[in-house]
Amino acid sequence: MTAVAKLLDDPADAVTDALRGLAAVHPELSVDLTQHVVSRGDERRPGKVGLVSGGGSGHEPLHAGFVGLGMLDAAACGAVFTSPVPDQVLAATKAASSGGGVVHIVKNYTGDVLNFQMAAELADDEDIEVETVLVDDDVAVTDSLYTAGRRGTGGTLFVEKVLGAAAEKGLAVAEVAALGRDVVSRSRSFGVALSPCTTPGSDQPGFDLPAGEMELGIGIHGEPGRRRVPVPATGVAREVARTAVAAIDEDLPLAHQDLLVLVNGMGGTPLLELQVLAADVVAELDARGARVARALVGNYVTSLEMAGAMVSVCTTTPELLELWDAPVRTPALRWGV
Amino acid sequence: MTAVAKLLDDPADAVTDALRGLAAVHPELSVDLTQHVVSRGDERRPGKVGLVSGGGSGHEPLHAGFVGLGMLDAAACGAVFTSPVPDQVLAATKAASSGGGVVHIVKNYTGDVLNFQMAAELADDEDIEVETVLVDDDVAVTDSLYTAGRRGTGGTLFVEKVLGAAAEKGLAVAEVAALGRDVVSRSRSFGVALSPCTTPGSDQPGFDLPAGEMELGIGIHGEPGRRRVPVPATGVAREVARTAVAAIDEDLPLAHQDLLVLVNGMGGTPLLELQVLAADVVAELDARGARVARALVGNYVTSLEMAGAMVSVCTTTPELLELWDAPVRTPALRWGV
């Protein structure tokens, strides 16, 4: 299967060019095209806790698309599927710092963990207090191609939104970090691929997935999941919903829980299909006695043009729901303002 | 090239199942799973002009994803790439009617035009005054597979958003319709495909587009465009931006204009690529002395999993910008509330 051509200029400049585009249509953001750091361009309250995330590019809108009022203060964008280096994370940390300390939201991949840790040490040298929240929400596999322990995936969106609201509200850095660890402990994800994806500049997909098969438990860089199965002739979305919700429920019992739910497209799957999957996911949750408090359906944590979807949930409380509902204004998530 | 499997249950039920998903995650909407009509579930001010649109499915979030406060009151969803029948449009018209008349926003395809016209006559029999705004913003071709005259594509979003705000503001039905015709006269689009797409239940793409070629001036159902060219090794996004903006500028001079800009993904193209294209589109507009007043980058008017993008612009005024910025709360477009 020949890969579809990419709408890029020079594959080697894909991230720089994409950030140039983000800057061109979002004058409210400050975009450093050398360091590949995106930060809020507006004044923040002195002492507000700064929120920083980042990781490899290719997962857009994650993370740069979540920079703005009520969410991240800055994001460090690595090369495609590659951790940002410590200097980038340090630059993002400085851009996010308003004197109240900074929280790093780090997806659990070995490179990200190491580079954020080094950046935190460098920031400490400059008297910026950094707390770290490690996101490891993916129940599909323990230990993977780039990870010791579970991978960080769709649940990252819950963490970034809730902590963004908490930081605006004035919580202290240790409180924001503690809340982040609580949100992580409540978040679970499971993804499925129907096609592979190809990184810019490569002429081969990152992994091999024959048409007619799907990979259950896929990672967001095409890391292997639990198993590969033939795509059934009918009931594909039901099968995906059942597998994902069962895997999550087995790990975190969902009965009687109020949930934030994300039915997330991996990049190449149209919204028509994501809506069908959403119907089946809600039916599966219903059948387990869980309630959908809020839901998002769309492309939020992607893997280039990979076809497939991920189901993420976060068990919630009235306090968490209030933080979820608080105003947010970012390129990819906006309400209340 | 074998098509990627679809995340559906039964291809014949794709639209019903997708609407079931929309209903499951948007309890604020009223979804008629028999008629395939989506309408606002909240009370509207008596006498408010009702806004109705609709068309074939497969273009999600258009139109059902634009139902809500500040945008459409109801949408009629046809089968994939197939006009809704008059009964569906009539049902949507009744759902949207609050006594102040209804405006039909109709994309210029022969089936849509006929069926909305029949529905308008049926509504008239029930004493609902209907005005029609025909959207024909696509500059690529005159007369096409399903169209006499120009096709209605990305500009539909500008019309639906601006008229939605005008209706909330209390304009009368004739005023809303006149404003709609003005917005259409200010809107232009041009699209490009890098891959074809396959309708649910079919085992072949709707048209043939070999890997390594792109179709300039594509329609949103894969109707032929102006010409097919080899995808260059580098500068693909620049070539697309240049072609699209030149075609638009030739038809509607852009110099000194303030623009609403939509850099729209066709469904299968990742946001990383759309952002690269956005950078090039803004550079092209800049070079012509046009200014970007507001811009959206993402999948808004799609063609299933087609890879490619469309550039849409609308020349604006302070009054139109105020309507654009007014609060909107729909599944796919939300701000200010």
Side-chain angles (χ1 to χ4, degrees):
Chain A
M1 178 166 161
T2 317
V4 168
K6 290 186 186 296
L7 199 42
L8 298 172
D9 288 319
D10 183 338
D13 295 335
V15 175
T16 308
D17 290 345
L19 290 177
R20 188 175 288 126
L22 192 72
V25 301
H26 288 287
E28 75 280 10
L29 298 178
S30 170
V31 179
D32 180 336
L33 291 174
T34 309
Q35 289 272 23
H36 291 180
V37 167
V38 176
S39 57
R40 286 174 61 174
D42 57 338
E43 274 306 306
R44 273 142 285 166
R45 182 174 47 75
K48 185 188 102 65
V49 170
L51 282 190
V52 171
S53 193
S57 293
H59 307 300
E60 291 69 23
L62 188 80
H63 297 273
F66 297 139
V67 173
L69 172 76
M71 219 159 160
L72 299 179
D73 293 285
C77 307
V80 171
F81 293 176
T82 303
S83 303
V85 299
D87 270 0
Q88 290 179 276
V89 180
L90 178 64
T93 304
K94 287 182 181 175
S97 172
S98 303
V102 170
V103 172
H104 284 174
I105 300 171
V106 186
K107 301 198 300 303
N108 188 34
Y109 300 96
T110 306
D112 291 44
V113 171
L114 280 172
N115 291 350
F116 272 85
Q117 190 181 330
M118 285 182 63
E121 287 163 17
L122 295 169
D124 186 64
D125 292 345
E126 304 197 24
D127 289 325
I128 301 175
E129 183 185 356
V130 174
E131 290 257 11
T132 299
V133 174
L134 194 70
V135 185
D136 58 352
D137 56 308
D138 187 341
V139 301
V141 293
T142 308
D143 301 339
S144 181
L145 207 50
Y146 311 111
T147 331
R150 288 179 168 179
R151 301 173 297 213
T153 54
T156 313
L157 186 150
F158 302 136
V159 178
E160 295 182 358
K161 172 66 185 81
V162 168
L163 296 204
E168 299 289 350
K169 215 177 146 184
L171 268 67
V173 64
E175 296 171 317
V176 173
L179 179 65
R181 290 172 199 124
D182 181 43
V183 175
V184 171
S185 77
R186 298 167 166 278
S187 299
R188 298 291 187 281
S189 296
F190 189 97
V192 171
L194 291 164
S195 84
C197 60
T198 305
T199 53
S202 170
D203 55 3
Q204 287 296 322
F207 65 108
D208 174 59
L209 181 59
E213 296 188 14
M214 60 181 176
E215 174 102 19
L216 303 176
I218 194 82
I220 56 174
H221 315 86
E223 312 94 298
R226 288 186 177 183
R227 63 183 187 280
R228 191 165 286 188
V229 298
V231 179
T234 60
V236 184
R238 263 194 305 274
E239 176 70 18
V240 168
R242 191 159 41 215
T243 305
V245 173
I248 290 170
D249 186 45
E250 193 173 300
D251 199 72
L252 177 75
L254 296 174
H256 313 302
Q257 298 285 359
D258 286 311
L259 301 175
L260 304 176
V261 177
L262 171 62
V263 177
N264 176 63
M266 303 306 296
T269 289
L271 186 53
L272 179 83
E273 298 179 27
L274 296 178
Q275 287 183 197
V276 172
L277 178 62
D280 292 333
V281 166
V282 172
E284 285 289 332
L285 293 172
D286 252 11
R288 285 172 166 80
R291 286 174 300 264
V292 178
R294 303 287 184 276
L296 291 174
V297 180
N299 297 334
Y300 293 96
V301 180
T302 63
S303 192
L304 296 171
E305 77 282 8
M306 186 190 286
M310 170 170 286
V311 178
S312 299
V313 306
C314 176
T315 67
T316 187
T317 62
E319 294 71 33
L320 286 179
L321 266 187
E322 196 183 315
L323 294 167
W324 178 261
D325 288 338
V328 60
R329 182 180 182 164
T330 71
L333 206 65
R334 182 168 175 190
W335 55 69
V337 67
Chain B
M1 179 166 162
T2 317
V4 167
K6 292 185 185 296
L7 199 43
L8 298 172
D9 288 320
D10 184 337
D13 296 334
V15 175
T16 309
D17 291 346
L19 291 177
R20 187 177 287 126
L22 191 72
V25 302
H26 289 287
E28 76 279 12
L29 298 178
S30 171
V31 179
D32 180 336
L33 292 173
T34 308
Q35 289 272 26
H36 292 179
V37 167
V38 175
S39 57
R40 287 174 61 174
D42 57 339
E43 275 306 305
R44 272 143 287 166
R45 183 173 45 76
K48 185 188 103 65
V49 170
L51 282 190
V52 170
S53 192
S57 293
H59 307 302
E60 291 71 22
L62 187 81
H63 296 274
F66 297 139
V67 173
L69 172 76
M71 217 160 162
L72 298 179
D73 292 285
C77 308
V80 171
F81 293 174
T82 304
S83 304
V85 299
D87 269 1
Q88 291 180 278
V89 179
L90 178 64
T93 305
K94 287 182 184 177
S97 171
S98 302
V102 170
V103 172
H104 284 176
I105 300 170
V106 186
K107 301 198 300 303
N108 188 33
Y109 300 97
T110 307
D112 292 45
V113 170
L114 280 174
N115 291 349
F116 272 84
Q117 190 181 331
M118 285 182 65
E121 287 164 18
L122 295 169
D124 186 64
D125 293 344
E126 304 198 24
D127 289 325
I128 302 174
E129 182 185 357
V130 174
E131 290 256 13
T132 299
V133 173
L134 194 69
V135 185
D136 56 353
D137 56 310
D138 187 340
V139 300
V141 292
T142 307
D143 300 340
S144 180
L145 208 49
Y146 310 112
T147 330
R150 287 179 168 179
R151 301 173 297 212
T153 55
T156 314
L157 187 150
F158 302 136
V159 178
E160 294 183 358
K161 172 66 185 78
V162 168
L163 296 204
E168 298 290 351
K169 217 177 146 185
L171 268 67
V173 64
E175 296 170 318
V176 173
L179 179 66
R181 291 173 198 125
D182 182 44
V183 175
V184 171
S185 76
R186 297 166 166 279
S187 298
R188 297 292 187 280
S189 296
F190 189 96
V192 171
L194 291 163
S195 84
C197 61
T198 305
T199 53
S202 171
D203 55 3
Q204 287 297 323
F207 65 108
D208 175 58
L209 182 60
E213 295 188 15
M214 59 183 177
E215 173 103 17
L216 303 176
I218 195 81
I220 58 175
H221 314 86
E223 311 95 298
R226 288 186 178 185
R227 63 184 188 277
R228 191 165 284 188
V229 298
V231 179
T234 60
V236 185
R238 260 194 307 272
E239 175 70 19
V240 169
R242 191 160 38 213
T243 306
V245 173
I248 291 170
D249 186 44
E250 194 173 302
D251 200 70
L252 177 75
L254 297 174
H256 314 303
Q257 298 285 356
D258 286 312
L259 301 175
L260 304 175
V261 178
L262 171 62
V263 177
N264 177 62
M266 301 306 296
T269 288
L271 186 54
L272 180 81
E273 298 177 29
L274 296 179
Q275 287 182 196
V276 172
L277 177 61
D280 292 332
V281 166
V282 173
E284 285 290 331
L285 293 172
D286 252 11
R288 286 172 166 77
R291 287 174 300 264
V292 179
R294 303 288 185 275
L296 292 174
V297 180
N299 297 332
Y300 293 95
V301 179
T302 63
S303 191
L304 296 169
E305 77 282 9
M306 186 191 285
M310 171 171 285
V311 178
S312 299
V313 307
C314 177
T315 66
T316 188
T317 63
E319 294 70 34
L320 286 178
L321 266 186
E322 195 184 316
L323 294 168
W324 179 260
D325 288 338
V328 59
R329 180 181 181 163
T330 71
L333 206 66
R334 185 171 172 188
W335 55 69
V337 66

